[in-house]
Amino acid sequence: MPASPTGPPRLVDVALPLPLRRTFTYAVPEALAARAVPGARVVVPVRGRRVIGFCTGPSDGASLGDTEAKPILDAPDAEPALPPDLLAACRWIADYHVTALGLVCRAALPAALGVASRPDAPGRTARLLVLTDALPSLLERDRVFGRAHQQRALFELVEQLGGTADLATVTAQLGCTPSVVDGLVRRGVARLDTADRPRDPFAAQPPSPAVAVAPTDAQREAVASILALPPGGAALLHGITGSGKTLVYLEVLEQVVRREGRTAIVLVPEIALTPQTVDRFRGRFGDLVAVLHSGLSDGERLDAWRALRAGTKRIAVGARSAVFAPLPDLGAIIVDEEHEASYKQAEAPRYHAREVALIRARETGARCVLGSATPSLESWRNAQLGRLALLSLPARVGGGTLPAVRVVDLRQERRASLPDEVARRQVVSASLEALVRDRLARGEQAMLLLNRRGYAAFVQCAEGHVAACPHCSISLTYHRTPERLVCHYCQHQEPAGKRCPDCDAPMERQRGLGTQQVERLLVERFPTARIARMDVDTTSGKWAHARILERFGRGEIDLLLGTQMIAKGLDFPNVTLVGVIDADVGINLPDFRASERTFQLLSQVAGRAGRGPQSGEVVIQTRTPGHHAVRHAASHDFLGFVAEELAAREDPPYPPSLRLANVVVSGLDEGAVAEFAERVTQWLVRADTRFGLGVTVLGPAPCPIERVKTRYRWHVILKSAQAAPLTRLLGGLVDGVEVPAAGAMRLAVDRDPVALL
Ligand code: ADP
Ligand code: ZN
């Protein structure tokens, strides 16, 4: 019997972008029947609003009960926005990270596809541009601005915002008059602009032409092993710094994209910090590449997404979220610097791009390559267990050697120096100073790492009080330009007073060196050197990173001082010296990954030295020369570090020897948070016992940083030998425990956390 056109409507399940883990059933009007397929965006009514949801498949209507299914209002796409492999990856993320499928689907698509109407074009407003290059050194600034303090404050504020800022906003923020702006323009250090948007350097700049280099035998072998992986297979490429991992990726793509005609995804930790890597892909593959960078407007991002979906762009290069690039016929996924913590998303859905890469490879039959000089312990363990093929590039290309590393024990330096010299000696030790002078004399370049921005980590009054953030349980960082105290967690700012707000004693001590202070000391110590600083404060604008790195690459900077930003993948052959001002920043954080992070950072920054024909040297200044992270970084001994660190993570057990989840309860009322955390813990313990899951429940306890952005935070840590019991327990918790409405209470689940702070 033919189906009656007036029969019951077809029903589908729809995942909504709401914090609800269930799906909802809707009816499909005849006209939309062809479009309401799994993975398609659908517009549905939710409490009188039009909401974009995602069709997950046919429904049996069981969840409807007696109510009648509401009809889908629209299905805007001719092809489903999420192809089957992406929908499968989203389902996996939603299950594993215990979050709503609709939220994951939305996160996997460009923002413009998550709203029912198109975003408006940006309006025209006046912007102030400061010409930072006109005043590169602090000394010149002192001279040019003299007593014009307001002009300097405005200049430096805009500089911190990346060199360009909305005129009305910044003048209001500083309370300055138009004459201050005019003054800056007259001096020739700033100009006014009415452009719509910042320039897109990728659209504007052609890539440097690819230099044809023949792969070395080691590179050729790695490429062959990757291409020989079974479909869906994955490899860990452990190649020391300067071993030429990028050429391996390029050769793999040459085969997969050009010869086999398939497509590929290349993930980098941050586009802005890795302009050279991005450039190599563009140089080799030109128009086939779509660079998904944070500077794209919503419209441009959508255009790039469409080009990838249609296969007109065949290689997506981008940070974390590029793992969702909707490429048809995926042949390879590369995760460069796979150990980087930025691959984990800090809020829900808390996916890790590396795990999604492996899942998409499995779904599509693509080959997956995880590359690093300092692989994460998780990937290392997976290679040991045979889940990843282990490939290695043990030598630098062209016979170059890893730089010699000298460890300077700051405790010894301190004893040897005069008391009033102490502070200065500790910043740049005699050994480091001599090497910097040598490089300046020879016209070579140096990079100096200090992983703490601002001027001083905290300020203390004569009575010992430390200025702390009113909203977070951490001290305020002292910034010199412009002068103020800043919370690095919530961005709260206040003027740096001369007297203590607690006891009125004079604020006298600044503790904990920051990059601004080191910059000042370097300017004094090396007055003829051209010095630049690269940290969050000098690079918050979209293209600020690229500008500093371009100048460094052109040899216009002798000393590049920076935070961990300067440690990632940069390749400047004229850098023959790397100095670590203080290796101990972060080494004692109350987090099980503190040592691993320190080892990675030291190894990576050391790897920036001696990449050209001249060999390089590294100086690591530390007060803990015996720490295994410092010792093994100094001897370039990844295996030695891994052996010690893995042993340390056996007792007490931490990943990769088991699976970890951090359940964080937060809210505005301290007592209520503690009470709810206790209730959550009891629920977990009971459920674990009842179902015999064998999960260890630890806590509750206040988080190491007890308060962030006015919210009190408690956590419960779960440890399990296997992943599945954790999935089950956490799913039960999120679905079964009601979060109190009062006090803005929240319950967050962070699986495989990259930090426990
Ligand atoms: P890694 O990412 O492993 O630290 P890169 O991929 O940046 O190393 O390569 C280091 C340097 O060696 C780069 O300047 C690169 O152009 C160069 N290089 C890589 N492979 C070769 C090769 N086969 N022949 C010549 N130069 C190479
Ligand atoms: Zn704060």
Side-chain angles (χ1 to χ4, degrees), residues 122-154:
R124 291 176 79 86
T125 44
R127 295 185 69 79
L128 182 63
L129 271 79
V130 298
L131 311 172
T132 317
D133 296 3
L135 293 175
S137 84
L138 291 175
L139 287 183
E140 269 172 88
R141 281 182 202 188
D142 292 345
R143 184 178 58 73
V144 166
F145 287 113
R147 297 180 158 274
H149 298 300
Q150 278 201 309
Q151 285 185 25
R152 180 167 187 165
L154 181 60

mmCIF file of all heavy atoms in Angstrom, residues 122-154:
data_model
loop_
_atom_site.group_PDB
_atom_site.id
_atom_site.type_symbol
_atom_site.label_atom_id
_atom_site.label_comp_id
_atom_site.label_asym_id
_atom_site.label_seq_id
_atom_site.Cartn_x
_atom_site.Cartn_y
_atom_site.Cartn_z
ATOM 1 N N PRO A 122 30.460 45.055 10.608
ATOM 2 C CA PRO A 122 30.981 45.977 11.603
ATOM 3 C C PRO A 122 30.788 47.426 11.166
ATOM 4 O O PRO A 122 30.866 47.739 9.984
ATOM 5 C CB PRO A 122 32.476 45.622 11.665
ATOM 6 C CG PRO A 122 32.769 44.916 10.387
ATOM 7 C CD PRO A 122 31.496 44.251 9.972
ATOM 8 N N GLY A 123 30.525 48.309 12.112
ATOM 9 C CA GLY A 123 30.298 49.714 11.783
ATOM 10 C C GLY A 123 31.601 50.474 11.661
ATOM 11 O O GLY A 123 32.674 49.963 11.957
ATOM 12 N N ARG A 124 31.518 51.679 11.159
ATOM 13 C CA ARG A 124 32.726 52.497 11.020
ATOM 14 C C ARG A 124 32.912 53.351 12.262
ATOM 15 O O ARG A 124 32.041 54.091 12.650
ATOM 16 C CB ARG A 124 32.599 53.411 9.809
ATOM 17 C CG ARG A 124 32.635 52.658 8.504
ATOM 18 C CD ARG A 124 32.399 53.613 7.367
ATOM 19 N NE ARG A 124 33.617 54.363 7.056
ATOM 20 C CZ ARG A 124 34.552 53.905 6.229
ATOM 21 N NH1 ARG A 124 34.437 52.739 5.680
ATOM 22 N NH2 ARG A 124 35.618 54.623 5.966
ATOM 23 N N THR A 125 34.068 53.248 12.889
ATOM 24 C CA THR A 125 34.364 54.080 14.036
ATOM 25 C C THR A 125 35.808 54.531 13.932
ATOM 26 O O THR A 125 36.613 53.893 13.283
ATOM 27 C CB THR A 125 34.206 53.290 15.347
ATOM 28 O OG1 THR A 125 34.816 52.019 15.173
ATOM 29 C CG2 THR A 125 32.760 53.120 15.733
ATOM 30 N N ALA A 126 36.110 55.639 14.597
ATOM 31 C CA ALA A 126 37.477 56.142 14.537
ATOM 32 C C ALA A 126 38.369 55.278 15.412
ATOM 33 O O ALA A 126 38.013 54.922 16.529
ATOM 34 C CB ALA A 126 37.515 57.580 15.013
ATOM 35 N N ARG A 127 39.528 54.934 14.880
ATOM 36 C CA ARG A 127 40.485 54.160 15.648
ATOM 37 C C ARG A 127 41.789 54.932 15.751
ATOM 38 O O ARG A 127 42.161 55.675 14.852
ATOM 39 C CB ARG A 127 40.745 52.802 14.984
ATOM 40 C CG ARG A 127 39.516 51.917 14.956
ATOM 41 C CD ARG A 127 39.831 50.542 14.411
ATOM 42 N NE ARG A 127 40.662 49.770 15.327
ATOM 43 C CZ ARG A 127 40.200 49.138 16.405
ATOM 44 N NH1 ARG A 127 38.920 49.217 16.720
ATOM 45 N NH2 ARG A 127 41.013 48.439 17.169
ATOM 46 N N LEU A 128 42.457 54.741 16.885
ATOM 47 C CA LEU A 128 43.755 55.370 17.083
ATOM 48 C C LEU A 128 44.829 54.307 16.872
ATOM 49 O O LEU A 128 44.772 53.227 17.459
ATOM 50 C CB LEU A 128 43.839 55.943 18.499
ATOM 51 C CG LEU A 128 45.128 56.689 18.840
ATOM 52 C CD1 LEU A 128 45.297 57.920 17.966
ATOM 53 C CD2 LEU A 128 45.131 57.094 20.312
ATOM 54 N N LEU A 129 45.782 54.621 16.001
ATOM 55 C CA LEU A 129 46.898 53.702 15.753
ATOM 56 C C LEU A 129 48.163 54.320 16.311
ATOM 57 O O LEU A 129 48.459 55.476 16.015
ATOM 58 C CB LEU A 129 47.125 53.533 14.248
ATOM 59 C CG LEU A 129 46.387 52.442 13.502
ATOM 60 C CD1 LEU A 129 44.971 52.878 13.209
ATOM 61 C CD2 LEU A 129 47.118 52.161 12.210
ATOM 62 N N VAL A 130 48.912 53.587 17.096
ATOM 63 C CA VAL A 130 50.198 54.122 17.531
ATOM 64 C C VAL A 130 51.305 53.415 16.771
ATOM 65 O O VAL A 130 51.202 52.236 16.450
ATOM 66 C CB VAL A 130 50.423 53.992 19.055
ATOM 67 C CG1 VAL A 130 49.369 54.776 19.812
ATOM 68 C CG2 VAL A 130 50.469 52.559 19.489
ATOM 69 N N LEU A 131 52.339 54.170 16.446
ATOM 70 C CA LEU A 131 53.432 53.625 15.647
ATOM 71 C C LEU A 131 54.540 53.187 16.594
ATOM 72 O O LEU A 131 55.480 53.924 16.862
ATOM 73 C CB LEU A 131 53.907 54.679 14.645
ATOM 74 C CG LEU A 131 52.735 55.317 13.868
ATOM 75 C CD1 LEU A 131 53.203 56.474 13.026
ATOM 76 C CD2 LEU A 131 52.029 54.267 13.014
ATOM 77 N N THR A 132 54.368 51.981 17.124
ATOM 78 C CA THR A 132 55.295 51.474 18.133
ATOM 79 C C THR A 132 56.726 51.458 17.621
ATOM 80 O O THR A 132 57.664 51.732 18.356
ATOM 81 C CB THR A 132 54.905 50.040 18.512
ATOM 82 O OG1 THR A 132 53.499 50.010 18.639
ATOM 83 C CG2 THR A 132 55.529 49.630 19.807
ATOM 84 N N ASP A 133 56.883 51.155 16.328
ATOM 85 C CA ASP A 133 58.227 51.055 15.777
ATOM 86 C C ASP A 133 58.973 52.382 15.848
ATOM 87 O O ASP A 133 60.188 52.421 15.823
ATOM 88 C CB ASP A 133 58.173 50.579 14.321
ATOM 89 C CG ASP A 133 57.617 49.174 14.238
ATOM 90 O OD1 ASP A 133 57.234 48.641 15.298
ATOM 91 O OD2 ASP A 133 57.542 48.620 13.141
ATOM 92 N N ALA A 134 58.209 53.488 15.931
ATOM 93 C CA ALA A 134 58.857 54.801 15.992
ATOM 94 C C ALA A 134 59.566 54.980 17.333
ATOM 95 O O ALA A 134 60.497 55.773 17.450
ATOM 96 C CB ALA A 134 57.828 55.906 15.792
ATOM 97 N N LEU A 135 59.101 54.278 18.357
ATOM 98 C CA LEU A 135 59.687 54.439 19.692
ATOM 99 C C LEU A 135 59.988 53.072 20.292
ATOM 100 O O LEU A 135 59.323 52.630 21.220
ATOM 101 C CB LEU A 135 58.696 55.178 20.609
ATOM 102 C CG LEU A 135 58.413 56.640 20.261
ATOM 103 C CD1 LEU A 135 57.338 57.184 21.171
ATOM 104 C CD2 LEU A 135 59.679 57.465 20.383
ATOM 105 N N PRO A 136 60.958 52.372 19.762
ATOM 106 C CA PRO A 136 61.158 50.995 20.200
ATOM 107 C C PRO A 136 61.732 50.870 21.607
ATOM 108 O O PRO A 136 61.470 49.907 22.301
ATOM 109 C CB PRO A 136 62.124 50.418 19.167
ATOM 110 C CG PRO A 136 62.815 51.589 18.569
ATOM 111 C CD PRO A 136 61.926 52.773 18.725
ATOM 112 N N SER A 137 62.507 51.833 22.069
ATOM 113 C CA SER A 137 63.161 51.612 23.355
ATOM 114 C C SER A 137 62.598 52.521 24.435
ATOM 115 O O SER A 137 62.052 53.595 24.159
ATOM 116 C CB SER A 137 64.672 51.833 23.232
ATOM 117 O OG SER A 137 64.959 53.204 23.357
ATOM 118 N N LEU A 138 62.726 52.066 25.651
ATOM 119 C CA LEU A 138 62.218 52.839 26.782
ATOM 120 C C LEU A 138 62.952 54.169 26.894
ATOM 121 O O LEU A 138 62.364 55.187 27.245
ATOM 122 C CB LEU A 138 62.381 52.032 28.066
ATOM 123 C CG LEU A 138 61.499 50.807 28.177
ATOM 124 C CD1 LEU A 138 61.835 50.034 29.437
ATOM 125 C CD2 LEU A 138 60.030 51.193 28.189
ATOM 126 N N LEU A 139 64.252 54.157 26.594
ATOM 127 C CA LEU A 139 65.031 55.392 26.717
ATOM 128 C C LEU A 139 64.495 56.468 25.776
ATOM 129 O O LEU A 139 64.314 57.620 26.155
ATOM 130 C CB LEU A 139 66.504 55.115 26.378
ATOM 131 C CG LEU A 139 67.270 54.322 27.440
ATOM 132 C CD1 LEU A 139 68.732 54.171 27.025
ATOM 133 C CD2 LEU A 139 67.170 54.996 28.794
ATOM 134 N N GLU A 140 64.212 56.053 24.526
ATOM 135 C CA GLU A 140 63.672 57.022 23.575
ATOM 136 C C GLU A 140 62.342 57.573 24.047
ATOM 137 O O GLU A 140 62.030 58.740 23.860
ATOM 138 C CB GLU A 140 63.474 56.341 22.224
ATOM 139 C CG GLU A 140 64.692 56.457 21.327
ATOM 140 C CD GLU A 140 64.506 55.604 20.095
ATOM 141 O OE1 GLU A 140 63.946 56.105 19.125
ATOM 142 O OE2 GLU A 140 64.902 54.416 20.143
ATOM 143 N N ARG A 141 61.553 56.708 24.665
ATOM 144 C CA ARG A 141 60.254 57.169 25.166
ATOM 145 C C ARG A 141 60.421 58.207 26.238
ATOM 146 O O ARG A 141 59.730 59.218 26.267
ATOM 147 C CB ARG A 141 59.472 56.000 25.741
ATOM 148 C CG ARG A 141 58.870 55.247 24.613
ATOM 149 C CD ARG A 141 58.050 54.131 25.095
ATOM 150 N NE ARG A 141 57.989 53.238 23.954
ATOM 151 C CZ ARG A 141 57.237 52.184 23.873
ATOM 152 N NH1 ARG A 141 56.499 51.847 24.891
ATOM 153 N NH2 ARG A 141 57.224 51.472 22.796
ATOM 154 N N ASP A 142 61.358 57.952 27.157
ATOM 155 C CA ASP A 142 61.599 58.923 28.221
ATOM 156 C C ASP A 142 61.945 60.269 27.592
ATOM 157 O O ASP A 142 61.485 61.315 28.018
ATOM 158 C CB ASP A 142 62.768 58.459 29.115
ATOM 159 C CG ASP A 142 62.395 57.216 29.925
ATOM 160 O OD1 ASP A 142 61.185 56.915 30.010
ATOM 161 O OD2 ASP A 142 63.302 56.545 30.455
ATOM 162 N N ARG A 143 62.765 60.229 26.527
ATOM 163 C CA ARG A 143 63.224 61.469 25.895
ATOM 164 C C ARG A 143 62.073 62.159 25.153
ATOM 165 O O ARG A 143 61.802 63.335 25.375
ATOM 166 C CB ARG A 143 64.347 61.122 24.905
ATOM 167 C CG ARG A 143 65.005 62.314 24.239
ATOM 168 C CD ARG A 143 66.135 61.865 23.313
ATOM 169 N NE ARG A 143 65.701 60.929 22.269
ATOM 170 C CZ ARG A 143 64.980 61.270 21.197
ATOM 171 N NH1 ARG A 143 64.617 62.530 21.009
ATOM 172 N NH2 ARG A 143 64.632 60.351 20.304
ATOM 173 N N VAL A 144 61.358 61.406 24.323
ATOM 174 C CA VAL A 144 60.327 62.013 23.483
ATOM 175 C C VAL A 144 59.161 62.551 24.307
ATOM 176 O O VAL A 144 58.696 63.662 24.091
ATOM 177 C CB VAL A 144 59.816 60.995 22.439
ATOM 178 C CG1 VAL A 144 58.533 61.490 21.787
ATOM 179 C CG2 VAL A 144 60.883 60.730 21.392
ATOM 180 N N PHE A 145 58.711 61.772 25.266
ATOM 181 C CA PHE A 145 57.513 62.210 25.989
ATOM 182 C C PHE A 145 57.833 63.185 27.116
ATOM 183 O O PHE A 145 57.001 64.023 27.456
ATOM 184 C CB PHE A 145 56.745 61.001 26.532
ATOM 185 C CG PHE A 145 56.030 60.227 25.466
ATOM 186 C CD1 PHE A 145 56.409 58.934 25.139
ATOM 187 C CD2 PHE A 145 54.977 60.798 24.770
ATOM 188 C CE1 PHE A 145 55.751 58.227 24.145
ATOM 189 C CE2 PHE A 145 54.314 60.095 23.773
ATOM 190 C CZ PHE A 145 54.704 58.804 23.466
ATOM 191 N N GLY A 146 59.008 63.087 27.687
ATOM 192 C CA GLY A 146 59.363 64.005 28.769
ATOM 193 C C GLY A 146 58.263 64.073 29.812
ATOM 194 O O GLY A 146 57.919 63.066 30.426
ATOM 195 N N ARG A 147 57.683 65.268 29.946
ATOM 196 C CA ARG A 147 56.663 65.450 30.981
ATOM 197 C C ARG A 147 55.249 65.222 30.456
ATOM 198 O O ARG A 147 54.284 65.411 31.191
ATOM 199 C CB ARG A 147 56.762 66.869 31.560
ATOM 200 C CG ARG A 147 58.086 67.094 32.232
ATOM 201 C CD ARG A 147 58.197 68.487 32.808
ATOM 202 N NE ARG A 147 59.202 68.475 33.844
ATOM 203 C CZ ARG A 147 58.957 68.143 35.104
ATOM 204 N NH1 ARG A 147 57.743 67.837 35.480
ATOM 205 N NH2 ARG A 147 59.935 68.140 35.990
ATOM 206 N N ALA A 148 55.127 64.860 29.197
ATOM 207 C CA ALA A 148 53.780 64.647 28.640
ATOM 208 C C ALA A 148 53.257 63.284 29.078
ATOM 209 O O ALA A 148 53.143 62.341 28.304
ATOM 210 C CB ALA A 148 53.830 64.749 27.117
ATOM 211 N N HIS A 149 52.928 63.182 30.371
ATOM 212 C CA HIS A 149 52.565 61.884 30.943
ATOM 213 C C HIS A 149 51.294 61.316 30.339
ATOM 214 O O HIS A 149 51.180 60.128 30.120
ATOM 215 C CB HIS A 149 52.395 62.017 32.461
ATOM 216 C CG HIS A 149 53.657 62.425 33.141
ATOM 217 N ND1 HIS A 149 54.802 61.672 33.079
ATOM 218 C CD2 HIS A 149 53.960 63.530 33.868
ATOM 219 C CE1 HIS A 149 55.762 62.279 33.750
ATOM 220 N NE2 HIS A 149 55.279 63.418 34.237
ATOM 221 N N GLN A 150 50.323 62.198 30.076
ATOM 222 C CA GLN A 150 49.054 61.696 29.528
ATOM 223 C C GLN A 150 49.256 61.131 28.124
ATOM 224 O O GLN A 150 48.685 60.093 27.790
ATOM 225 C CB GLN A 150 48.026 62.827 29.489
ATOM 226 C CG GLN A 150 47.349 63.031 30.834
ATOM 227 C CD GLN A 150 46.032 63.753 30.638
ATOM 228 O OE1 GLN A 150 45.991 64.789 29.981
ATOM 229 N NE2 GLN A 150 44.967 63.226 31.201
ATOM 230 N N GLN A 151 50.065 61.818 27.339
ATOM 231 C CA GLN A 151 50.330 61.309 25.991
ATOM 232 C C GLN A 151 51.002 59.939 26.066
ATOM 233 O O GLN A 151 50.663 59.019 25.337
ATOM 234 C CB GLN A 151 51.252 62.270 25.229
ATOM 235 C CG GLN A 151 50.542 63.522 24.766
ATOM 236 C CD GLN A 151 51.451 64.388 23.902
ATOM 237 O OE1 GLN A 151 52.386 63.895 23.276
ATOM 238 N NE2 GLN A 151 51.175 65.675 23.881
ATOM 239 N N ARG A 152 51.959 59.825 26.988
ATOM 240 C CA ARG A 152 52.651 58.549 27.111
ATOM 241 C C ARG A 152 51.697 57.452 27.572
ATOM 242 O O ARG A 152 51.719 56.329 27.064
ATOM 243 C CB ARG A 152 53.812 58.681 28.101
ATOM 244 C CG ARG A 152 54.540 57.359 28.242
ATOM 245 C CD ARG A 152 55.852 57.497 28.941
ATOM 246 N NE ARG A 152 56.567 56.224 28.892
ATOM 247 C CZ ARG A 152 57.851 56.102 29.168
ATOM 248 N NH1 ARG A 152 58.564 57.167 29.506
ATOM 249 N NH2 ARG A 152 58.434 54.920 29.118
ATOM 250 N N ALA A 153 50.835 57.800 28.531
ATOM 251 C CA ALA A 153 49.877 56.804 29.038
ATOM 252 C C ALA A 153 48.975 56.322 27.906
ATOM 253 O O ALA A 153 48.718 55.125 27.754
ATOM 254 C CB ALA A 153 49.063 57.394 30.182
ATOM 255 N N LEU A 154 48.500 57.276 27.076
ATOM 256 C CA LEU A 154 47.612 56.905 25.976
ATOM 257 C C LEU A 154 48.368 56.047 24.952
ATOM 258 O O LEU A 154 47.879 55.016 24.498
ATOM 259 C CB LEU A 154 47.043 58.165 25.309
ATOM 260 C CG LEU A 154 46.077 57.927 24.146
ATOM 261 C CD1 LEU A 154 44.864 57.128 24.601
ATOM 262 C CD2 LEU A 154 45.632 59.261 23.539
#
